[in-house]
Amino acid sequence: MKISVIGTGYVGLVTGACLAEIGHEVVCTDNDAEKIRILESGGIPIYEPGLEKVIPKARKEGRLSFRAKPADSVGAGDAIFICVGTPPLPDGGADLSAIDHVARMIATEAKSPKLVVEKSTVPARTGEELKRALTVYGRNSQVKFRVASNPEFLREGTAVGDFLHPDRIVVGVEDEIAERQMEEIYRPVIEKKFDCPVHDSKCPNGPSPTWLVTTINSAELIKHASNSFLALKISYANMVADLAEKLGADIGEVVRAMGLDPRIGSSFLSAGLGFGGFCLPKDLQAFVHLAERSGVDFSMLKEAEKINKKRIDHFVEKLKSMIWVVRGKRLGVLGLAFKPNTDDIRFAPAIDLVHRLISEGASIRAFDPEAMEKTKTILPQVEFAKNAYETAKDAEALLIATEWPEFRKLDWEKIRDSMARPLIIDGRNLLSPAEMKNLGFEYRSFGRPD
Ligand code: UGA
């Protein structure tokens, strides 16, 4: 099928590249000309493992191209995936102005029938507004528009594998024609008929994804309800961790046993600095906003958000209980990205933590394997180290803020000997308390006995 993808951020670029990988002819576009220039010259503007294989291959085989003018791409696709940003507004609601803008553009530029697919995360009932906008702005053209909602469940860092081997594909449609078109788009993924470019445990013989056809409103709700539930689960684990800390229990042991119950499941129960990124915090807020506007008291989600914000306070209190005064102290920070395997620092707990420590007068030296370039632009006060060892040198404490697996394998004896004080505050429970103690560190983590 011929497909246009509007917006080449984390979602749009992965969607466009993977749709091309499974055999479609895809044109991607963005109103950020610099992004398109990088893509056209063979670069990849974001760090997302797997894209470095998929994009060059699809371009070489002539199935993937980039256009600088979004309007030009409208004619290129029978289906148009909208992957533009829906950032948070000051009141917590989602800013849908980019969707409105794209709807107007599609409506005025389209010369043939289009299936317009909402991929961006949007609150329920956006599909209705999108359809209305297409009808109003396109009233002179007589072109037929169909709307579908196809929420993404891509995790940054594993997004290519998540697209090609999903657990489920949700499509919200209004009629059978749209359903059939969506099925045609995803058939290679449903039937697992493509040469997988990334080696994933689910490839090539893993289970086929569940194909779920719903109303558009349900599809939109599924996305917000899923991300909010994940956020709720993390905040719940963080509260249990705080309690475990007071009672002398070990959160690792507690969640391990809890997770063995299939009704609970073991993922998203890791305690520490809490959740960040451009999805969970904003989707949680937007869901609360939607519930309030709909007259539903969903205050348990507000509580999850409040708990998450307090994780930074909790971390700083822990640090202060060890070093007393923060002002004038040199602190090393390991990890800046909101989670490992990404360079994304949007709403990263690590960044909030660094801001807070700088405002309290600490001098910060930090290291992250991928996220330092992005951090430099927003935190010029930070000294960026070449590696973890340089970060720790002469520091009064080393703070672990992102659980990059490679941090586990560091030469901790070398680190201990280079620090002004061998103190570690592990905001991601990455290391073993017993091992760190044996190595001669003062070590504090979350929900585990000191
Ligand atoms: C999240 C969802 O997991 C995806 O399913 C969804 O498609 C995506 O948002 C989206 O809406 O686009 P992502 O933002 O990539 O994906 O990140 P997650 O892996 O969900 O992690 C979010 C945050 O929670 C990170 O800061 C992570 O460190 C934190 N986290 C995660 C915890 O603090 N504890 C956990 O147990 C798990």
Side-chain angles (χ1 to χ4, degrees):
M1 228 168 136
K2 287 187 178 6
I3 298 175
S4 306
V5 175
I6 301 180
T8 55
Y10 285 91
V11 172
L13 194 54
V14 171
T15 300
C18 290
L19 286 171
E21 172 64 37
I22 61 173
H24 300 295
E25 212 173 289
V26 181
V27 172
C28 290
T29 180
D30 201 293
N31 58 8
D32 181 342
E34 177 59 8
K35 254 189 209 168
I36 298 296
R37 192 197 59 73
I38 295 172
L39 287 161
E40 274 183 327
S41 63
I44 300 176
I46 54 168
Y47 173 78
E48 184 59 46
L51 283 183
E52 74 291 350
K53 289 185 190 153
V54 178
I55 291 181
K57 181 172 164 237
R59 288 188 79 204
K60 200 167 146 218
E61 292 168 4
R63 287 192 314 279
L64 179 64
S65 60
F66 302 100
R67 302 239 174 112
K69 284 203 184 116
D72 292 351
S73 70
V74 172
D78 298 322
I80 303 177
F81 278 68
I82 303 181
C83 301
V84 294
T86 52
L89 287 166
D91 67 359
D95 181 351
L96 301 173
S97 54
I99 305 253
D100 178 55
H101 176 79
V102 169
R104 183 188 290 244
M105 185 186 71
I106 295 172
T108 49
E109 297 292 331
K111 307 276 181 286
S112 57
K114 304 286 174 197
L115 174 68
V116 181
V117 186
E118 256 177 25
K119 193 77 171 160
S120 307
T121 299
V122 290
R125 310 200 86 156
T126 301
E128 289 171 9
E129 295 295 343
L130 176 60
K131 198 163 174 211
R132 199 164 57 179
L134 289 166
T135 313
V136 171
Y137 298 135
R139 64 189 174 282
N140 298 326
S141 71
Q142 310 297 321
V143 168
K144 171 83 183 155
F145 294 107
R146 289 195 160 73
V147 171
S149 165
N150 175 219
E152 52 86 15
F153 304 103
L154 310 175
R155 293 160 301 171
E156 282 182 27
T158 54
V160 173
D162 289 346
F163 188 98
L164 297 171
H165 306 289
D167 308 312
R168 68 234 195 259
I169 300 172
V170 174
V171 295
V173 287
E174 281 184 325
D175 59 32
E176 263 184 47
I177 298 179
E179 182 183 336
R180 276 205 303 276
Q181 284 178 297
M182 291 303 290
E183 220 173 318
E184 195 184 328
I185 292 172
Y186 279 104
R187 183 161 303 122
V189 175
I190 301 166
E191 295 177 357
K192 296 178 102 37
K193 280 195 182 136
F194 59 93
D195 290 329
C196 183
V198 289
H199 294 291
D200 188 285
S201 57
K202 290 189 249 171
C203 167
N205 299 319
S208 284
T210 305
W211 174 253
L212 284 159
V213 180
T214 69
T215 62
I216 294 179
N217 281 336
S218 295
E220 292 166 336
L221 198 61
I222 287 166
K223 168 68 192 207
H224 264 152
S226 301
N227 272 6
S228 297
F229 187 74
L230 293 174
L232 210 54
K233 215 174 164 191
I234 298 168
S235 282
Y236 183 83
N238 276 323
M239 281 296 92
V240 178
D242 286 359
L243 197 55
E245 215 166 284
K246 298 275 182 215
L247 303 176
D250 183 329
I251 186 70
E253 292 173 353
V254 175
V255 295
R256 176 150 193 272
M258 282 170 64
L260 290 171
D261 181 337
R263 292 170 303 172
I264 297 175
S266 58
S267 52
F268 278 70
L269 288 173
S270 302
L273 262 177
F275 59 82
F278 202 60
C279 300
L280 260 50
K282 97 173 155 67
D283 290 353
L284 186 66
Q285 276 184 15
F287 207 37
V288 169
H289 188 262
L290 178 71
E292 273 171 359
R293 266 188 23 211
S294 314
V296 173
D297 181 4
F298 216 155
S299 42
M300 67 193 288
L301 293 183
K302 282 192 186 165
E303 205 52 41
E305 193 186 5
K306 201 168 100 196
I307 290 166
N308 198 53
K309 286 202 173 118
K310 281 199 179 154
R311 300 317 289 166
I312 306 290
D313 298 338
H314 191 35
F315 188 102
V316 173
E317 277 158 27
K318 218 180 252 290
L319 173 68
K320 284 183 179 167
S321 75
M322 300 300 288
I323 66 167
W324 186 30
V325 172
V326 167
R327 184 163 298 280
K329 299 266 164 75
R330 164 173 290 287
L331 303 172
V333 175
L334 286 184
L336 297 162
F338 82 96
K339 67 173 189 178
N341 295 317
T342 178
D343 63 349
D344 196 349
I345 54 166
R346 292 174 298 174
F347 298 99
I351 301 293
D352 285 348
L353 176 68
V354 171
H355 269 298
R356 170 80 173 270
L357 295 171
I358 288 174
S359 74
E360 296 206 15
S363 84
I364 303 289
R365 191 183 284 162
F367 172 74
D368 186 285
E370 295 295 336
M372 290 198 290
E373 275 312 307
K374 287 194 171 155
T375 311
K376 276 176 192 164
T377 57
I378 58 158
L379 275 168
Q381 312 92 315
V382 169
E383 190 187 327
F384 293 93
K386 280 204 277 301
N387 51 40
Y389 302 105
E390 203 180 281
T391 316
K393 194 168 179 305
D394 301 326
E396 305 247 5
L398 189 61
L399 317 178
I400 300 178
T402 312
E403 65 278 33
W404 283 94
E406 61 203 77
F407 293 160
R408 248 188 221 117
K409 297 180 212 132
L410 293 168
D411 180 344
W412 287 101
E413 286 182 0
K414 182 173 164 186
I415 288 186
R416 178 198 61 205
D417 295 342
S418 72
M419 291 180 71
R421 174 178 172 181
L423 167 64
I424 293 174
I425 313 285
D426 184 350
R428 295 294 178 184
N429 288 359
L430 185 74
L431 307 171
S432 146
E435 276 173 31
M436 296 324 278
K437 192 176 167 206
N438 284 343
L439 283 168
F441 280 99
E442 297 173 272
Y443 176 80
R444 296 289 180 273
S445 55
F446 287 77
R448 304 191 293 181
D450 290 336

